[in-house]
Amino acid sequence: MIQVKHLTITHKKDLRTIVEDFTFALQPGDKAAIIGEEGNGKSTLLKLMVDEALVEDYVSWEGEIIRGRKRIGYLAQELTDCDKLLSVYAYCSEESGFFDLRPAELARIAAKVGLSIDLFYSDRQVGTLSGGEKVKLQLARIMFGQPDVLLLDEPSNDLDVETIKWLEDYVIRCPLPILYISHDEEFLRRTANRIVHLERVRRKTVPRYTIAGVGYEAYVGARLHHLEHQEQVARAERREYEKQQERFRRIAQKVEHQQESISRQDPHGGQLLKKKMHVVKSLERRFEKEFAEMTEIPDTEDAMFVKFGERAVLPAGKIVLEYELPKLRVGDNAQRVLARNIFLRVVGPEHICIIGANGVGKTTLLKKIAEQLLPRRDIKAAYMPQNYEELLEQEKTPVEFLSITGDKEENVRISTYLGSMKYTREEMFHPVSELSGGQKAKLLLLNMSMQGCNVLILDEPTRNFSPLSAPVIRQMLAGFSGAIISVSHDRTYIREVCDRVYQLERDGLRLIEADKL
């Protein structure tokens, strides 16, 4: 068991508190998931539970972390650049337990993670492995150390659908307690039996956490029910407050009128009116106190709004794309052929998704499709890459990025739109480089909406959204009246947004049934 007691974490740069008075214990049998928007402290909390040295450069903390003699197996969100340059054998050798295990024990670990034992002794560079192979290799190296608990930071990120299914089975069957971070709703639904939800409320100024001893679906259902009740109570209180305020205003106006009209020859009457006005002022202070103590209207990460306008509509018979590619290669001059005989036809407002194993060339194919569609004048196409930095100028603010004319009226309109996407006033005027991945993704989607695009080319559009804000994004894209051509491993996105799903294989694109994913 790992215990955290009254932990408060503060950013050194801006003295912002990201986690406050957090208390939690990871128990045997737990498959506990940490959820929340980027920037809410999930990875920092996980790293701090592993080793304070991982975060001491950028945060300070108070509280207590009790690890006892537990051996912690930690899977980082990203391999370091140094690790990527190592051979697989050198990478495995860095875990001392690797040399203490007998061949039969290594074979058992290899079988558990779905790798060949021969890979452990390979001179292949770690960076050349597929996304799925990297995660499996990291898990194998963790198991060499015979850990007592696992802490996993976004283990399902960038994995193909089949590998995510394997990882779900691994987490479910693993006898060790696991604390992990994930944005994948399907993964959360199938694996989590406890939820740790980190939030920032009151316009992202106050950190809050919730710990629930239930699965993800039960947590979301109970949370929605609670928020709906809270909103009903809050609005009823505000209606009653407005009625009280109206009565107060009438009384105050009546007393003021009497004070103005009373004769100076009636000092007794003047004294009575002064007493009345004193009572009125006391009422005013009481109402102000009641207002401050009212139930808050819920301010949550999923309470955002954006939509595409009428310009996004495409005629049903409009041929958006007829794409043929005899050979899909890595790079323009590369010799390696990823796939052959690719053909894709998109007509009207179809929503298409391309899936496939890691490394098969989905992103490469999507970029080539974008190169063909973006210059077209009969449609208005926009492209969202996996790497947002390809399109976002890091030194610009969100308002500057979205602005065309730069005039005051346009900036006011842009600020209103950004507010609807849950940007705070400070975030609107911070450099893009300081935004979270989710905020950058919102910025690109908002730009597409403002431009009136009717064809969206999206590479992993939901990968950086929290599981509680992703449903709003999916709803927006599902209602989009134009065409969507996307790559995704998000099974919930595929089912709710996409009309047709193609699997990219060596022999081209194969139409598959989304319900079987």
Side-chain angles (χ1 to χ4, degrees), residues 17 59 166 288 347 380 466 505:
T17 301
V59 298
W166 168 85
E288 287 174 355
V347 180
K380 180 68 173 175
S466 81
E505 301 171 343

Side-chain angles (χ1 to χ4, degrees), residues 218-248:
Y219 173 71
V220 171
R223 178 177 180 271
L224 288 175
H225 177 75
H226 170 74
L227 291 176
E228 286 171 3
H229 176 70
Q230 181 181 332
E231 183 167 3
Q232 288 173 0
V233 171
R235 296 198 182 282
E237 288 177 355
R238 277 154 180 76
R239 285 194 297 270
E240 183 58 32
Y241 174 77
E242 285 300 322
K243 290 178 183 177
Q244 289 178 338
Q245 283 291 86
E246 181 58 34
R247 288 195 295 269
F248 164 74

Side-chain angles (χ1 to χ4, degrees), residues 23 80 199 330 450 461-462 498:
T23 296
T80 67
E199 298 178 89
V330 180
M450 291 178 65
T462 59
C498 302

